[in-house]
Amino acid sequence: MECRVLDITLVSATDLKDVNLFSKMDVYAVVKISGDDSNTKSNKQKTPIHRDCGSNPKWDFPMKFTISESAAQHNQLDLKIKIISERNIGDKEIGKVVVPIKELLDNKETEKSERHVSYSVRTAGGKMKGTLNFSYKFGEKFTAPAPAPAQAHFAHAQKKMDNPVMAYPPGGQAAGPTYGYPPPNGAHAPAGYQAYPPPGGYPPPGGPYAYPPPGGYAPPPPQPGYGYPPPGGAAGYGYPQYPPQAGYGYGPPQSSSSGGGGGGKMALGIGAGLLGGLLIGDMMDDAVDIYYD
């Protein structure tokens, strides 16, 4: 890539707009090559501050920039000069000058000669107020390595983000258990795998368990409700409680201390009922026989 060195000496400014109310202005200037983003650190420079200069600061400050010959010839670069008043309550811009680099390049006399120019200063409101004086000269063309495209830098950074590096302790195994969703049915979980812990937090070291824990969560304790009295005879709330009424049919089953007593009593009751039916049937047969006799 063909480049040139641009030497600029910011000389002075005259009849600038006074942006201070009660004191003389302390004025400095910031010079920037606009349109060249290959090196943002070197394309912007600043003059010293001229104290108590008012509207007529003087600097005589030299600066050096490197510009692209192709970008300058295609009118892609601008020389931007901002004139600023330093203040305790915050610096304030007085005005600025914008000059195309191609205009300076076309108006140069020779490669090594220095040219003095003056440009009007435009205020923040758009009016012309004051004059800026500077000199410049261009160096000979030289070849410089082309800067890496921004697209390549972005792709490299994106690749690093897409491929994160995971560090492991000596021995090749990750420190601590690995948490995640349970594997599909029948799938073998890797070593160190643990399911997500319950909502109370992660399990303490050395005591992992699955989610939910084996056997399920314990049911919540019974709460006093409405209607029937709660267990243990505790007083409940709601409608008044009434004693149980006598019903019809068979009575409630009786509790038994032995595990198989209930089944035996049921069988005994069924047998007694069948025997009673047979006896009644025999008695009726006997009565019929006596009647006919």
Side-chain angles (χ1 to χ4, degrees), residues 220-236:
Q223 302 295 331
Y226 300 92
Y228 295 103

Side-chain angles (χ1 to χ4, degrees), residues 12 59 62 87 91 136 144 243 254 280:
S12 62
W59 303 289
R87 305 189 303 178
D91 296 358
Y136 71 94
Q254 301 295 327
I280 293 174

Side-chain angles (χ1 to χ4, degrees), residues 251-284:
Q254 301 295 327
S255 60
S256 174
S257 58
S258 61
K265 289 185 176 183
M266 183 179 296
L268 182 60
I270 295 175
L274 294 176
L275 180 59
L278 293 176
L279 293 175
I280 293 174
D282 291 342
M283 291 174 63
M284 292 181 66

